[in-house]
């Protein structure tokens, strides 16, 4: 008896769910129809493309950038062969930028540069395309594809317009991005050091110095290489100890050459003095 009741309840619930789903589907279709009708009414608000362009510019000036972008997108094909096409495409891209949709803005600024290479605004568009990737650059501890694209774009801009009005801003952004990439490498090197993976730490920190020698993390990276080389030597087989104690001394000298007033230098020099004693002891034993 209980089983029959349970089966009956299950059937009722299934029928109710199916009915509910059909009802919701019908409402969704009605909403879609309403949205389509609303869009049609919106398009019919402007009798001419000139009226629509005036409205798009008004939205832009009022800070309603998403509405402006939607109208500029509709307008550009209508004006693509006319002088106004230049302004429309630039404002279309800039609407995305001001709405903080940086990747879409970058795409349309690059499209602007491609379509209007002789425009008076092409230098600014080139700069803004690269700046969009800079603005989209994430925190240092995640994928840095956009940071690298920004550096490439900004460097290309500086090379193309070496005397341009945006060169100083571009160089400042390049420095910021390089420091971010260096910070990522430095954090990875620290992680390897803290987990006693000294070989990986050595490679990572050496690459940091090669790729970003002027970054704000270069000095501390040298100090970590002193510490890492000491640990690396202590945990090495006898045949490798000599060269790795020498690395402690060499990296201390590089740190001193980089900054004689470095706060890391006193401790580095203590480690270098210890490494020198151990290196000399190995040499004496070998003799």
């Amino acid at each position: 008896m209980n089983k029959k009741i349970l089966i009956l309840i299950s059937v009722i619930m299934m029928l109710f769910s199916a009915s509910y789903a059909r009802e919701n589907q019908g409402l969704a279709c009605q909403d879609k129809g309403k949205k389509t009708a609303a869009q049609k009414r919106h398009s019919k608000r402007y009798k001419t493309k000139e009226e629509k362009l005036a409205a798009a510019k008004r939205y832009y000036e009022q800070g309603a950038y998403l509405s402006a972008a939607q109208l500029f997108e509709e307008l550009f094909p209508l004006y693509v062969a006319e002088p106004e096409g230049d302004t429309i495409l630039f404002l279309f891209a800039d609407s995305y930028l001001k709405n903080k949709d940086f990747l879409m803005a970058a795409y349309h600024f690059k499209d602007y540069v491609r379509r209007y290479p002789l425009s008076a605004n092409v230098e600014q568009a080139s700069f803004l395309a690269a700046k969009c990737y800079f603005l989209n650059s994430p925190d240092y501890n995640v994928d840095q594809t956009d940071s690298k694209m920004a550096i490439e774009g900004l460097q290309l801009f500086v090379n193309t317009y070496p005397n341009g009005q945006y060169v100083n801003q571009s160089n400042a952004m390049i420095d910021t991005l390089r420091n971010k990439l260096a910070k990522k490498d430095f954090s990875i090197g620290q992680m390897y050091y803290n987990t006693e993976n000294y070989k990986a730490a050595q490679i990572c920190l050496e690459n940091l110095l090669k790729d970003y020698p002027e970054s704000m993390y270069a000095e501390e990276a040298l100090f970590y290489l002193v510490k890492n080389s000491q640990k690396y030597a202590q945990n090495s087989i006898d045949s490798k100890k000599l060269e790795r104690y020498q690395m402690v001394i060499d990296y201390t000298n590089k740190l001193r050459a980089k900054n004689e007033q470095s706060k890391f230098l006193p401790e580095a020099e203590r480690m270098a003095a210890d490494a020198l004693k151990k290196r000399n002891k190995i040499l004496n034993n070998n003799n």
Side-chain angles (χ1 to χ4, degrees):
M1 187 70 175
N2 289 337
K3 288 184 179 179
K4 289 182 179 180
I5 292 172
L6 288 172
I7 292 170
L8 181 61
I9 292 172
S10 298
V11 170
I12 292 170
M13 290 181 67
M14 287 173 63
L15 291 171
F16 177 78
S17 297
S19 175
Y20 181 77
R22 284 194 298 272
E23 183 179 350
N24 277 352
Q25 186 177 7
L27 289 172
C29 290
Q30 289 177 19
D31 287 342
K32 186 176 181 181
K34 288 177 182 177
K35 288 178 183 177
T36 303
Q39 289 171 347
K40 288 179 180 178
R41 286 196 302 272
H42 182 72
S43 298
K44 290 178 180 178
R45 285 177 58 188
Y46 310 108
K47 295 180 180 178
T48 65
K49 65 179 184 180
E50 290 78 13
E51 287 183 8
K52 184 180 284 190
L53 178 56
K57 289 180 176 179
R58 189 164 58 250
Y59 279 131
Y60 178 85
E61 290 165 0
Q62 293 171 350
Y65 300 116
L66 184 58
S67 296
Q70 289 171 345
L71 290 181
F72 285 134
E73 186 174 19
E74 294 174 15
L75 285 161
F76 183 65
L78 305 178
Y79 281 97
V80 67
E82 299 181 33
E84 292 89 343
D86 180 319
T87 301
I88 289 170
L89 186 54
F90 188 91
L91 293 178
F92 179 38
D94 201 45
S95 295
Y96 276 117
L97 172 57
K98 287 182 166 57
N99 203 46
K100 298 185 178 181
D101 191 341
F102 301 124
L103 294 182
M104 284 295 292
Y107 173 83
H108 289 295
F109 276 124
K110 288 193 287 187
D111 186 42
Y112 178 91
V113 172
R114 180 180 63 83
R115 289 176 181 271
Y116 301 104
L118 301 180
S119 169
N121 294 321
V122 72
E123 179 182 340
Q124 185 181 9
S126 298
F127 168 70
L128 291 175
K131 183 179 179 180
C132 286
Y133 287 111
F134 171 83
L135 294 171
N136 204 58
S137 174
D139 290 339
Y140 77 93
N141 56 347
V142 295
D143 180 73
Q144 293 298 308
T145 298
D146 285 331
S147 298
K148 292 173 182 176
M149 289 183 69
I151 290 173
E152 290 175 6
L154 289 164
Q155 193 61 62
L156 178 61
F157 173 80
V158 170
N159 294 341
T160 306
Y161 302 98
N163 300 311
Q165 61 176 315
Y166 304 106
V167 167
N168 290 339
Q169 290 183 57
S170 297
N171 285 329
M173 286 189 283
I174 289 171
D175 288 343
T176 298
L177 292 165
R178 286 185 179 278
N179 278 323
K180 184 183 290 189
L181 295 176
K183 184 177 182 180
K184 183 179 181 69
D185 286 353
F186 181 69
S187 67
I188 294 170
Q190 277 184 312
M191 181 270 293
Y192 283 135
Y193 174 80
N194 291 333
T195 55
E196 301 181 358
N197 191 343
Y198 301 121
K199 182 177 181 179
Q202 200 86 7
I203 294 169
C204 184
L205 294 167
E206 285 174 349
N207 285 338
L208 185 158
L209 291 173
K210 182 175 66 176
D211 294 337
Y212 313 108
E214 302 304 321
S215 81
M216 61 190 297
Y217 295 95
E219 187 178 317
E220 192 169 2
L222 278 167
F223 176 58
Y224 261 85
L225 279 167
V226 174
K227 295 198 300 180
N228 190 75
S229 297
Q230 184 187 51
K231 294 286 188 182
Y232 200 13
Q234 290 170 351
N235 289 275
S236 295
I237 58 176
D238 290 343
S239 61
K240 294 289 186 181
K241 286 182 183 292
L242 184 63
E243 71 173 274
R244 287 168 186 168
Y245 279 126
Q246 183 62 49
M247 288 164 64
V248 177
I249 300 165
D250 292 343
Y251 281 121
T252 299
N253 290 336
K254 288 181 180 180
L255 177 60
R256 186 185 300 108
K258 188 165 187 66
N259 182 7
E260 290 185 352
Q261 305 302 318
S262 173
K263 65 180 181 179
F264 304 114
L265 194 55
E267 187 177 349
E269 287 179 333
R270 283 195 293 272
M271 287 186 283
D274 181 66
L276 180 61
K277 290 178 183 178
K278 291 175 178 176
R279 188 203 67 169
N280 289 340
K281 184 177 179 181
I282 294 170
L283 289 172
N284 290 333
N285 289 340
N286 290 342
N287 293 332

